[in-house]
Amino acid sequence: MPWLLLVIAGLLEVGWAVGLKYTEGFTRPLPTVATVAAMVLSVSLLGVAMKSLPVGTAYAVWVGVGAVGTAALGMVLFGEAATVGRLVSLGLIVAGIVGLKLAS
């Protein structure tokens, strides 16, 4: 269960990171409220997961899921470059997340 909560927390991190773009500097109320809610829920679930998981592993996985998801959505939603170097780098992050899961 802690791993599931951690992955959900990471996905919510993707939501708030992408949501920041849609707030337009916190000038749009609805995206701002949704972004702040995702932030609070993401960090809360991370905290719950850390009750059972090592802090270094939990934080690294949370950040990794957030980084990969945000970069991928940046490519899909905002037309950011999907170069071979970026894709390989994201693959390495995913490999690190899997490695942390297998090692814990």
Side-chain angles (χ1 to χ4, degrees):
M1 189 62 150
W3 281 98
L4 178 60
L5 294 177
L6 184 59
V7 170
I8 293 169
L11 294 174
L12 285 165
E13 184 187 6
V14 174
W16 69 254
V18 172
L20 284 173
K21 182 80 168 168
Y22 290 105
T23 68
E24 295 181 12
F26 299 105
T27 60
R28 298 180 61 211
L30 187 56
T32 297
V33 169
T35 298
V36 171
M39 286 177 177
V40 170
L41 191 52
S42 177
V43 172
S44 297
L45 290 176
L46 172 63
V48 172
M50 281 186 178
K51 289 168 124 179
S52 304
L53 298 173
V55 66
T57 300
Y59 185 74
V61 170
W62 181 68
V63 169
V65 169
V68 170
T70 302
L73 283 180
M75 292 177 215
V76 171
L77 297 175
F78 307 118
E80 295 174 7
T83 63
V84 171
R86 288 185 81 183
L87 296 174
V88 168
S89 297
L90 292 173
L92 291 171
I93 295 171
V94 171
I97 292 169
V98 171
L100 286 170
K101 168 64 173 134
L102 295 175
S104 65

